[in-house]
Amino acid sequence: MAEKLTEPPEVAQNVGTFHAPVHLSVWMNLTLVLVTLAASTERALRLRYSRLLDGGAG
């Protein structure tokens, strides 16, 4: 996404351009989006505290 946002000449001139180190295929991007949506939905629906995910140190 950062790569697409820095493509326009006006932005590239002021901010510079970003080139992603890895380029995924369309089906890999779609799979990544679906897995992320499923994981975030599951996390939101459970509403349980997790030391690992919620940043608790003790």
Side-chain angles (χ1 to χ4, degrees):
M1 194 159 124
E3 190 171 9
K4 290 293 181 190
L5 290 174
T6 59
E7 275 183 5
E10 301 83 16
V11 176
Q13 186 177 23
N14 293 323
V15 179
T17 57
F18 176 81
H19 297 285
V22 177
H23 292 280
L24 300 176
S25 63
V26 173
W27 70 269
M28 279 295 284
N29 274 325
L30 184 59
T31 302
L32 187 61
V33 167
L34 292 176
V35 167
T36 303
L37 286 173
S40 61
T41 301
E42 187 271 340
R43 176 77 177 125
L45 291 175
R46 287 182 65 209
L47 293 174
R48 292 182 58 191
Y49 176 78
S50 168
R51 277 185 16 213
L52 177 65
L53 297 175
D54 296 328

